[in-house]
Amino acid sequence: MKEKRKSIVDRIWDLLASVKFAIVIFSIISLTSIIGTILEQGVEPARNIQILTRLFGKSLAPAMYNIFDKLGFMDMYHSWWFMTLLILFSVNIIICSSERLPKTWKIITEPLRPIPEEYFAKAAIRRDISLKGKPDKVKDIITKAIKGAGFNYLESKESKGYQFYSQKGKYSRFGVFITHMSILIILLGALVGIFFGFKGSMNIPEGKSYSVALLRTSPLTHSEEHEREIILDAIEASSGNVTASANQLNMDEKTLKAKMKRYGLQPLGFSVRNDEFNVDFYGGSDMPRDYKSWLTITDNGKEVLKKVIEVNEPLTYKGVTFYQASYGIVPGARGLFILKLISSSGISETKQLQLGDKFIIPGTHLEGIIKDFSPALTFDREGRPFTYSEMMNNPAVFIDFKENSKDKYAGWIFKRYPSTWKLPEGHIVEFIDYRGAQYTGLQVRKDPGVWVVYIGCITISIGLFMAFFMSHKKLWVRIVEEKNNTRVIVGATTNKNRATLERKINKMISLLSTKQERGK
């Protein structure tokens, strides 16, 4: 008789239910995720070109970047093909579980019964021992041995004796299904984070407040860049209120939201102010040891939260987390010099000054004029000063001192070197900070699915423990009268961890032998 030809629907179903298909999909997800880990997601092209240069060389890096970019690897977790892989993997798990669950449910819910004599010979684990005495006399010894091996039992009377039967860990068979369900929960959490969360950045100058995070977008034209700045200014002016921004721009709110999505503008619903930023270096080197930002959250015009953040110590508010990521100098910024002036007699005063401002050492006629500033000053072999970096690696201020309108001396005062603060007369000009010129670079992330992922991780731990360390064990013990002795036949099966069950059975036989020898 010819086998009935399967329909296309049946073939698709068989494919989706295949374990081989699951392995293939999981392998593809793993391999593409490796690439997505090596290539930074949602960053400027230059950073990934630098990575590709190290991997493929300078000549091939731009071409490889274009290939990976077209394939969606620069933002792969939002790409259509990665979503498709996750959906296929989820469908495969659901179908595989749905096909195997009824059979497992039947095994779990079916009550354990005594088995015929011939079934003992077929048991995976079988033991046989003879005890002195009739079944009624040795029955207590046997039941105590069964309990001593960790089994509770049911009892059945037979014509020549008794049969005891027990099972443990039947619900451990659900371990694999709990693991499958946990994977789906984790994938669901990831999708929630992808579709309802965001990952962006904010570069906030000292003393400034921003209420919009910038997300990665495809390249914009010059006119789009200009419109983006106009929209960004309007959103910032309204503290992130989209409706007010739309009214200000004379634009429909739906249209504004579409443009915001295109331009990567994500209103937070509150403002973040950078009160202060500071970098500490290792010794006299330019290697940052730590950098911190003093942030203030303002919501509905009220300051609701203040926190100092640094690397690995973020700030979270309303589900949005701010991570310390980078720092830099604001182009063309004109900051304030914070100087502490201490006279030789101990009179002190703190001043906030700009380039070109004058000050007087308290209690004296010594006048200082701020002539120049360098964010990173050093000297060449001839002793000539030059700036070696645009970052605030070694800030220094040049001050010209006069007394009674006569030039006295001039020189550089370094923020990082206190020895330069002391003047010839014993006065001190401490360079405390140059505020308002630096920005703090924050990574901004909102992931509403993270708690779903945490729940999935907890349940997958339970499922894996049940699947690997628990087993469904079945035990039958038959006692039969033979002349003046009782024959004890033990049969047992398990779906995994056979060695553990065998140790329990051997323990039970050992208990029987020991009690028999003691005459119990």
Side-chain angles (χ1 to χ4, degrees):
M1 185 176 179
K2 290 185 178 180
E3 186 180 349
K4 185 178 178 181
R5 189 173 181 181
K6 291 185 177 180
S7 67
I8 186 69
V9 175
D10 292 332
R11 291 181 182 180
I12 294 173
W13 181 270
D14 290 343
L15 175 66
L16 293 174
S18 168
V19 175
K20 291 181 179 179
F21 181 74
I23 293 172
V24 171
I25 293 295
F26 184 74
S27 299
I28 295 172
I29 291 173
S30 301
L31 289 172
T32 53
S33 296
I34 291 171
I35 299 173
T37 302
I38 295 171
L39 298 174
E40 295 188 44
Q41 302 294 297
V43 299
E44 294 297 322
R47 293 175 67 175
N48 278 321
I49 290 175
Q50 189 177 9
I51 294 171
L52 293 170
T53 299
R54 290 198 295 266
L55 295 173
F56 300 101
K58 191 174 182 179
S59 59
L60 288 177
M64 294 303 298
Y65 177 86
N66 290 332
I67 292 171
F68 283 121
D69 189 35
K70 287 179 181 179
L71 292 174
F73 279 99
M74 300 307 162
D75 194 19
M76 62 170 281
Y77 301 114
H78 292 85
S79 64
W80 67 268
W81 56 264
F82 191 78
M83 297 295 175
T84 303
L85 288 173
L86 293 182
I87 292 170
L88 287 174
F89 188 54
S90 301
V91 170
N92 175 262
I93 290 174
I94 292 169
I95 293 176
C96 285
S97 299
S98 65
E99 286 203 336
R100 291 159 179 77
L101 183 59
K103 183 180 177 181
T104 303
W105 181 258
K106 185 179 179 182
I107 293 171
I108 292 171
T109 56
E110 188 175 12
L112 190 67
R113 296 184 176 89
I115 58 174
E117 181 181 356
E118 60 270 18
Y119 276 44
F120 279 86
K122 300 177 182 178
I125 301 171
R126 188 178 185 278
R127 298 288 186 273
D128 201 322
I129 188 174
S130 184
L131 302 178
K132 292 180 181 180
K134 292 190 176 183
D136 287 333
K137 290 186 177 181
V138 300
K139 178 182 174 185
D140 287 343
I141 297 175
I142 294 167
T143 55
K144 287 179 180 178
I146 293 172
K147 286 187 174 181
F151 288 92
N152 294 318
Y153 62 89
L154 297 173
E155 178 183 320
S156 175
K157 183 73 174 70
E158 295 185 347
S159 58
K160 293 184 179 181
Y162 298 90
Q163 187 173 154
F164 308 97
Y165 49 98
S166 175
Q167 66 176 334
K168 285 182 68 177
K170 64 180 181 179
Y171 292 108
S172 68
R173 290 182 178 270
F174 281 136
V176 66
F177 299 102
I178 292 174
T179 302
H180 287 174
M181 179 189 70
S182 302
I183 294 172
L184 294 175
I185 291 173
I186 291 171
L187 292 177
L188 175 63
L191 291 174
V192 169
I194 288 170
F195 286 108
F196 299 101
F198 61 83
K199 181 180 178 182
S201 62
M202 300 175 75
N203 292 338
I204 311 178
E206 289 178 304
K208 296 290 185 180
S209 295
Y210 285 172
S211 59
V212 179
L214 304 180
L215 312 185
R216 183 179 182 271
T217 65
S218 55
L220 303 177
T221 64
H222 181 71
S223 60
E224 286 177 329
E225 286 278 6
H226 179 66
E227 186 178 30
R228 180 184 188 227
E229 291 301 319
I230 294 173
I231 294 174
L232 179 59
D233 290 341
I235 298 172
E236 289 291 359
S238 63
S239 299
N241 188 311
V242 178
T243 303
S245 302
N247 293 333
Q248 182 181 337
L249 295 166
N250 295 320
M251 189 182 296
D252 179 71
E253 189 172 336
K254 186 177 180 181
T255 304
L256 177 58
K257 287 182 177 179
K259 287 183 178 291
M260 287 165 55
K261 185 177 180 181
R262 167 72 180 98
Y263 298 153
L265 304 178
Q266 178 64 53
L268 301 176
F270 54 88
S271 296
V272 186
R273 187 175 71 238
N274 176 17
D275 294 320
E276 187 179 349
F277 176 80
N278 188 56
V279 185
D280 290 327
F281 296 88
Y282 286 102
S285 72
D286 287 340
M287 183 179 292
R289 180 177 60 189
D290 190 19
Y291 39 100
K292 302 177 182 179
S293 297
W294 283 255
L295 302 182
T296 298
I297 302 294
T298 303
D299 198 348
N300 290 323
K302 296 180 180 179
E303 293 184 1
V304 294
L305 180 62
K306 286 179 176 285
K307 186 175 180 181
V308 180
I309 72 164
E310 52 190 313
V311 178
N312 298 325
E313 290 190 20
L315 177 152
T316 301
Y317 180 72
K318 286 189 173 181
V320 182
T321 303
F322 301 88
Y323 301 89
Q324 183 69 71
S326 63
Y327 63 93
I329 296 290
V330 179
R334 190 173 169 84
L336 288 173
F337 299 98
I338 313 298
L339 303 181
K340 186 175 183 181
L341 313 174
I342 307 173
S343 69
S344 58
S345 60
I347 305 172
S348 66
E349 185 180 6
T350 301
K351 291 279 191 178
Q352 294 188 10
L353 306 163
Q354 287 188 331
L355 194 66
D357 285 353
K358 299 178 181 180
F359 61 89
I360 300 290
I361 301 294
T364 73
H365 298 286
L366 187 63
E367 180 186 71
I369 305 173
I370 301 175
K371 290 286 191 178
D372 200 0
F373 168 74
S374 172
L377 185 71
T378 191
F379 298 89
D380 61 18
R381 292 180 180 179
E382 284 74 32
R384 292 173 298 192
F386 70 93
T387 298
Y388 64 90
S389 173
E390 292 303 316
M391 305 295 283
M392 292 276 284
N393 291 350
N394 191 27
V397 59
F398 188 85
I399 301 178
D400 188 5
F401 289 94
K402 294 182 179 182
E403 191 169 24
N404 298 321
S405 301
K406 293 180 181 180
D407 292 335
K408 289 207 69 175
Y409 43 79
W412 289 98
I413 295 177
F414 290 82
K415 181 176 182 290
R416 293 174 58 188
Y417 296 95
S419 59
T420 64
W421 301 347
K422 196 167 184 180
L423 304 183
E425 297 88 351
H427 310 309
I428 293 174
V429 178
E430 181 181 348
F431 186 3
I432 296 176
D433 200 5
Y434 182 53
R435 196 166 295 167
Q438 293 188 101
Y439 68 81
T440 180
L442 305 177
Q443 185 184 94
V444 188
R445 186 172 183 178
K446 182 178 182 180
D447 188 356
V450 67
W451 289 106
V452 181
V453 173
Y454 288 159
I455 292 170
C457 290
I458 293 170
T459 55
I460 202 171
S461 300
I462 296 170
L464 290 173
F465 181 84
M466 292 173 65
F468 287 103
F469 298 102
M470 297 176 68
S471 58
H472 185 190
K473 299 174 282 288
K474 296 180 181 179
L475 171 71
W476 295 270
V477 179
R478 187 167 182 261
I479 60 176
V480 183
E481 182 179 354
E482 291 183 346
K483 295 182 182 180
N484 292 326
N485 295 333
T486 297
R487 186 184 177 199
V488 181
I489 308 166
V490 179
T493 63
T494 180
N495 65 328
K496 66 174 82 71
N497 300 332
R498 174 172 170 164
T500 302
L501 180 57
E502 283 189 311
R503 284 195 294 269
K504 288 181 178 292
I505 301 300
N506 292 336
K507 180 181 179 181
M508 187 176 72
I509 297 298
S510 177
L511 288 170
L512 287 174
S513 301
T514 302
K515 290 181 179 180
Q516 179 70 26
E517 289 174 1
R518 291 176 180 174
K520 294 183 179 179

